[in-house]
Amino acid sequence: DRSINREVFIISDDESPLNNYRGLEEYLMRRFAIKDYRLPPLSFLSLFLPLFLRLAKVSNLNPNATYVCKKLTDLGFIKPVTFEQGLNKFVNWYQQQ
């Protein structure tokens, strides 16, 4: 009942605790029976990314930003599946290929 002409929406699921690089990696390693690392991997990217962004003169990117889809949910949008359900469905499909 509301016009959404020319509006911009962020479609994300950052609210899910699994939706991060390490959580996703651990989930996929379990599903594909891959042994986890003996020692946790060091994230050099997270150490140097702010420096690289500054050198590239990119000031509007924040690698630690959390994106929420509140604007969509406020309009009544309901996620058809959770992040975990969608990921599980994708992995099941991938394993069948």
Side-chain angles (χ1 to χ4, degrees):
D1 63 349
R2 184 178 142 190
S3 174
I4 58 171
N5 188 27
R6 297 183 175 261
E7 290 202 43
V8 176
F9 294 90
I10 294 175
I11 300 173
S12 69
D13 209 345
D14 277 359
E15 298 89 9
S16 170
L18 183 60
N19 192 6
N20 64 76
Y21 291 111
R22 184 61 181 141
L24 188 55
E25 181 182 44
E26 288 173 337
Y27 172 84
L28 293 172
M29 291 172 92
R30 273 193 313 276
R31 287 294 309 269
F32 293 109
I34 298 170
K35 289 183 181 178
D36 201 355
Y37 306 104
R38 287 185 184 169
L39 298 173
L42 296 175
S43 177
F44 292 108
L45 182 60
S46 64
L47 296 173
F48 295 107
L49 186 59
L51 174 65
F52 293 143
L53 291 174
R54 215 172 311 125
L55 290 172
K57 297 184 180 178
V58 178
S59 61
N60 61 341
L61 291 178
N62 179 357
N64 298 316
T66 299
Y67 297 96
V68 295
C69 56
K70 182 175 177 6
K71 192 172 172 183
L72 281 172
T73 56
D74 286 351
L75 288 172
F77 174 79
I78 299 170
K79 296 176 188 180
V81 295
T82 66
F83 181 82
E84 291 80 2
Q85 289 169 331
L87 181 59
N88 191 47
K89 185 176 178 180
F90 170 76
V91 170
N92 289 339
W93 169 85
Y94 186 85
Q95 288 176 322
Q96 293 175 357
Q97 299 304 311

